[in-house]
Amino acid sequence: MSNIIRLLPDHVANQIAAGEVVQRPASVVKELIENAVDAGATEIKLIVKEAGKTLIQVIDNGKGMSDIDSRMAFERHATSKITMAEDLFALRTKGFRGEALASIAAIAHVELKTCEAGADLGTHLIIEGSKLVSQEEAVLIKGTSFSIKNLFFNIPARRNFLKSDTVEFRHVVDEFERVALAHPNVHFILLHNGSEMFNLPESNLRQRIVNVFGPKTNEKLVPIKETTEIVSIEGFVGKPEFAKKSRGEQFFFVNDRFIKSAYLHHAVLNAFEGLLKEGTHPSYFLYLTLPADAIDINIHPTKTEVKFDDEQALYAILRAAIKHSLGQFNVAPVLDFQRDSTMDTPYEFLDKKAETPTIEVDMNYNPFKEDSVSMKQAYNPFEHNQTSYVSGSRSSSNSSKGDSFLSKSPFESSRREQIESTNNMYEDLRSSANELDFSKIEIEEDVKEISLFDGALDDISTSKSFQLQRKYIVSPIKTGMVVIDQGRAHQRILYEKFLENITIKQAASQQLLFPLTLYYSAYEIQLLRDSESALKLTGFVFDSIDKEQLVISGLPVHVAESEASIVLDELIQELQGSPSETSFSMNDRIAKSLAHSLSVKTGTVLSEEEQENMVNALFACKDPSISPFLKPTFITMKVDDIEKRFTL
């Protein structure tokens, strides 16, 4: 195989933006994984230790490199992706700067093992701080293995600048997920400190999303598919009811490259207008395919921002495609004044074929034919009392019998018996009513008349506290009054309570009748596993924590079963971010997150007893004046200050 890596001319290299800046371990992960994809690998394994500070290893089964290419890869401005400036506007590959590996080799210990397909021997190369330590032939399998050890070993100031392992590993996972979502046809594996975090086999796009973010994601997805002359759009958006407070699951891919675009993001939000709750953000996984010469991806060093030739048309097409899918799958309402919803086919009968009814006809039936037998057996009440009529008058011999029949008709006698029975019933009721003694019966009054102003002043004077605007608690004191922010006060109370449970004594737990199963991504499960011991002390009881789900059998007394997922979601969001300046430990962050999630919010109506309990609990805290987030919990107003307001 001929050598393909060469030095770029200076005028071409100068047209390329500044070199890749290695800010953190995630920058190295991004470069190495993208190079593996460009090498045609079908299986890529990422091994990370201590969030990449100690080791970052990427192993792929791509086409490998020759001994000369393996050495040239670490030279500045050396690449196999482009040869002239015009190639910058027709790129289909990922990394193309040609200086990222040189930057990595300058600040770390690099070990490269690579072998081309069909070659008997491969190349084993070691570089430390841009210095070539050794390069020799070795027996290797096809593919390439990059090992980056001791990142920033010669720049201690940059190493000290790195965040905690949790935060740095979150950035590593972000880069891993972006490349994995862009290439569902590649098998990706991620190992961290010896534990397998992701194992994503080759699959379709929907299955890849579900494998990354957990099985519960499948029911949240609404498919998007639109093809025009300008752009082809494919992917999924999340249903509005599953919108989150964070912006985690939002991905744009242009020609299989992850990008960030505030302009396209606004188009998505516009399509969801009127469907989202305030403060929530939709999830989306959108893949845009455009001609390579219609975009410019060389406007940002990290290549996450691009420039489109026709942004307005792209905005309109994306917005319309999302709106169409939301309406098509009955997620968003559709205005159709000619449509009668009662005529819609039920969902369970949508694909069923109509069945022809079977009709049986009695060909011998004749409605005009009389049944002689039944007619003869029909009852005639006058059959046994018939009289003979001669010339229109009755016979005298039967006249007395006829009179007797008319006066003693069975129908008439039955009617008289009913009337007599009814009269007797009412007579019994009258007699029993006369015997009742109403003097001993007490009647409860349902309506009480209350004066609007009587006693009102007395109630206010005896009341210890009252609620203002469903946000503040006003309580009198000797020198005036104190106004308490109920939300911040409750945060302080819960915060100290949870800290006490974690550090001193375990809190009580309420057992669930049926275990609660919650689903999360592999990284979120790892965060919960890391904080499992502290959560148990606050009252959580976990039956199991598996790779994609956790089973809860007990909750803290303050947490309802319907709130469990919300509390844990906010805790995960807090643990993913950088610790604030006010947090000094993992236990402190957990206590603050739980206190923030479970505290009463503005608009909550508190009874007088609840107000008094909150006031007493607040001033029983060690530091009642500020919330866990360093905001004041109450203010005081003295009588003198109030009197000054009335002084002219």
Side-chain angles (χ1 to χ4, degrees):
M1 180 176 179
S2 61
N3 301 322
I4 60 175
I5 297 180
R6 53 197 169 273
L7 286 173
L8 288 174
D10 291 338
H11 69 280
V12 178
N14 291 334
Q15 293 180 23
I16 303 176
E20 178 80 21
V21 178
V22 182
Q23 298 178 348
R24 50 176 25 116
S27 304
V28 178
V29 170
K30 176 181 183 295
E31 179 66 25
L32 297 183
I33 293 182
E34 289 182 346
N35 283 344
V37 172
D38 288 339
T42 59
E43 181 174 337
I44 301 174
K45 180 183 291 186
L46 172 62
I47 302 173
V48 178
K49 291 185 179 179
E50 295 183 8
K53 300 175 183 177
T54 303
L55 172 67
I56 299 173
Q57 185 176 9
V58 175
I59 306 172
D60 67 71
N61 62 348
K63 57 186 178 182
M65 293 183 286
S66 65
D67 56 345
I68 297 178
D69 285 344
S70 62
R71 182 65 187 91
M72 288 289 294
F74 293 94
E75 294 294 335
R76 202 163 185 80
H77 303 308
T79 181
S80 62
K81 313 294 177 61
I82 59 176
T83 58
M84 59 185 66
E86 287 73 13
D87 294 341
L88 295 174
F89 303 100
L91 288 169
R92 289 289 182 180
T93 55
K94 301 296 183 295
F96 60 87
R97 292 194 168 281
E99 53 189 42
L101 291 180
S103 300
I104 294 172
I107 54 163
H109 297 163
V110 179
E111 182 178 5
L112 170 63
K113 297 179 180 179
T114 182
C115 183
E116 294 179 300
D120 296 331
L121 296 174
T123 302
H124 183 198
L125 183 145
I126 298 176
I127 298 177
E128 297 179 358
S130 297
K131 295 181 180 180
L132 179 62
V133 176
S134 66
Q135 180 176 356
E136 57 186 7
E137 293 182 340
V139 178
L140 302 170
I141 61 174
K142 175 198 171 186
T144 303
S145 171
F146 271 101
S147 296
I148 313 300
K149 304 176 182 177
N150 304 322
L151 195 64
F152 300 122
F153 78 99
N154 53 357
I155 312 177
R158 289 292 305 275
R159 188 176 181 89
N160 294 334
F161 182 75
L162 296 177
K163 305 296 184 180
S164 65
D165 287 359
T166 302
V167 176
E168 294 299 336
F169 185 61
R170 172 70 259 180
H171 289 286
V172 170
V173 171
D174 286 342
E175 297 295 346
F176 177 84
E177 289 177 348
R178 292 166 182 173
V179 181
L181 290 172
H183 300 278
N185 58 329
V186 180
H187 183 188
F188 287 92
I189 300 173
L190 171 58
L191 302 175
H192 183 226
N193 293 336
S195 300
E196 185 179 88
M197 301 299 301
F198 291 95
N199 191 338
L200 310 175
E202 180 182 354
S203 61
N204 57 31
L205 182 56
R206 189 186 192 106
Q207 189 60 45
R208 174 55 58 88
I209 296 173
V210 172
N211 289 338
V212 173
F213 295 101
K216 266 296 186 185
T217 311
N218 190 38
E219 63 181 275
K220 306 176 184 179
L221 301 178
V222 177
I224 306 290
K225 191 174 182 61
E226 189 71 37
T227 302
T228 66
E229 296 179 355
I230 300 175
V231 62
S232 295
I233 302 174
E234 187 179 2
F236 302 89
V237 295
K239 296 180 180 178
E241 60 265 30
F242 296 105
K244 295 184 177 181
K245 294 183 179 180
S246 61
R247 299 185 180 183
E249 299 175 2
Q250 296 180 345
F251 296 89
F252 280 117
F253 299 93
V254 175
N255 296 347
D256 295 334
R257 179 189 293 272
F258 172 79
I259 67 162
K260 296 178 181 179
S261 175
Y263 190 69
L264 296 182
H265 176 73
H266 188 271
V268 176
L269 294 183
N270 202 339
F272 276 92
E273 185 178 4
L275 300 176
L276 300 174
K277 296 180 180 178
E278 186 177 357
T280 60
H281 305 275
S283 301
Y284 53 80
F285 309 86
L286 298 173
Y287 297 75
L288 286 69
T289 304
L290 293 88
D293 57 355
I295 58 175
D296 182 4
I297 60 177
N298 197 33
I299 63 173
H300 192 274
T302 60
K303 305 299 178 294
T304 56
E305 297 181 12
V306 299
K307 176 68 176 177
F308 300 100
D309 284 351
D310 195 350
E311 288 186 335
Q312 293 183 349
L314 194 59
Y315 182 102
I317 294 171
L318 180 61
R319 176 180 175 273
I322 296 175
K323 271 187 168 294
H324 174 71
S325 292
L326 292 176
Q328 183 181 8
F329 291 91
N330 296 325
V331 177
V334 179
L335 290 179
D336 187 355
F337 298 103
Q338 302 298 326
R339 173 176 168 269
D340 186 0
S341 59
T342 60
M343 302 298 292
D344 291 346
T345 304
Y347 183 78
E348 58 269 19
F349 295 100
L350 193 60
D351 297 328
K352 289 186 177 181
K353 295 182 179 180
E355 297 181 359
T356 304
T358 56
I359 301 175
E360 296 181 359
V361 180
D362 185 3
M363 303 301 295
N364 298 322
Y365 175 72
N366 186 355
F368 302 102
K369 182 180 180 180
E370 295 182 354
D371 189 350
S372 59
V373 178
S374 60
M375 293 294 292
K376 290 178 181 180
Q377 293 179 352
Y379 173 72
N380 186 354
F382 302 101
E383 183 178 1
H384 302 291
N385 298 286
Q386 292 178 348
T387 58
S388 58
Y389 291 86
V390 178
S391 300
S393 61
R394 288 184 304 178
S395 171
S396 59
S397 62
N398 295 330
S399 61
S400 60
K401 292 181 181 180
D403 294 340
S404 175
F405 168 75
L406 292 174
S407 61
K408 297 181 180 180
S409 170
F411 301 105
E412 181 68 21
S413 62
S414 175
R415 182 167 177 266
R416 289 178 180 177
E417 291 176 359
Q418 291 178 355
I419 294 173
E420 292 178 359
S421 175
T422 302
N423 291 336
N424 293 335
M425 179 180 68
Y426 281 108
E427 289 294 334
D428 294 339
L429 288 175
R430 293 191 188 97
S431 61
S432 61
N434 294 332
E435 296 175 359
L436 292 176
D437 185 6
F438 291 97
S439 61
K440 298 181 180 181
I441 298 177
E442 297 181 358
I443 300 175
E444 181 180 358
E445 295 182 2
D446 293 335
V447 180
K448 295 183 179 180
E449 295 183 358
I450 301 177
S451 174
L452 181 61
F453 298 102
D454 291 346
L457 295 176
D458 293 338
D459 292 341
I460 293 177
S461 61
T462 57
S463 176
K464 293 184 179 180
S465 64
F466 65 92
Q467 196 175 20
L468 179 65
Q469 297 293 323
R470 297 183 179 180
K471 183 177 181 181
Y472 303 105
I473 299 174
V474 181
S475 182
I477 55 177
K478 292 182 179 180
T479 59
M481 65 179 178
V482 60
V483 181
I484 302 173
D485 187 307
Q486 64 185 32
R488 296 178 184 178
H490 201 205
Q491 288 176 6
R492 165 55 63 176
I493 296 168
L494 294 177
Y495 169 70
E496 293 195 2
K497 185 178 184 65
F498 285 128
L499 266 187
E500 181 184 6
N501 294 334
I502 295 174
T503 57
I504 300 177
K505 62 178 181 180
Q506 183 173 354
S509 177
Q510 54 179 346
Q511 297 298 312
L512 300 178
L513 184 61
F514 300 101
L516 178 64
T517 303
L518 301 176
Y519 298 89
Y520 296 98
S521 66
Y523 176 70
E524 293 172 339
I525 288 291
Q526 184 61 39
L527 288 177
L528 293 175
R529 187 178 285 112
D530 294 340
S531 56
E532 179 182 2
S533 58
L535 289 174
K536 285 184 176 179
L537 295 174
T538 62
F540 283 93
V541 179
F542 301 102
D543 279 358
S544 63
I545 301 181
D546 297 331
K547 189 175 181 180
E548 295 179 342
Q549 67 180 24
L550 71 151
V551 181
I552 303 175
S553 60
L555 294 172
V557 179
H558 309 282
V559 182
E561 184 175 353
S562 59
E563 298 176 337
S565 61
I566 300 175
V567 171
L568 292 180
D569 286 344
E570 293 189 2
L571 176 61
I572 291 172
Q573 184 178 349
E574 166 64 24
L575 296 178
Q576 286 180 352
S578 301
S580 62
E581 296 178 357
T582 61
S583 299
F584 53 86
S585 67
M586 175 68 76
N587 293 339
D588 185 68
R589 297 179 68 184
I590 293 174
K592 286 181 178 178
S593 177
L594 295 179
H596 181 270
S597 301
L598 299 174
S599 61
V600 295
K601 304 299 186 289
T602 299
T604 304
V605 179
L606 301 178
S607 65
E608 185 176 337
E609 182 180 1
E610 291 172 334
Q611 297 171 29
E612 293 297 327
N613 291 337
M614 184 171 294
V615 173
N616 296 332
L618 174 64
F619 289 101
C621 293
K622 295 179 180 179
D623 193 357
S625 60
I626 59 173
S627 72
F629 306 98
L630 303 182
K631 296 181 179 179
T633 58
F634 66 89
I635 59 173
T636 57
M637 298 183 66
K638 296 183 179 181
V639 176
D640 296 339
D641 297 334
I642 298 176
E643 290 179 349
K644 290 179 181 179
R645 295 294 184 115
F646 291 96
T647 303
L648 297 178

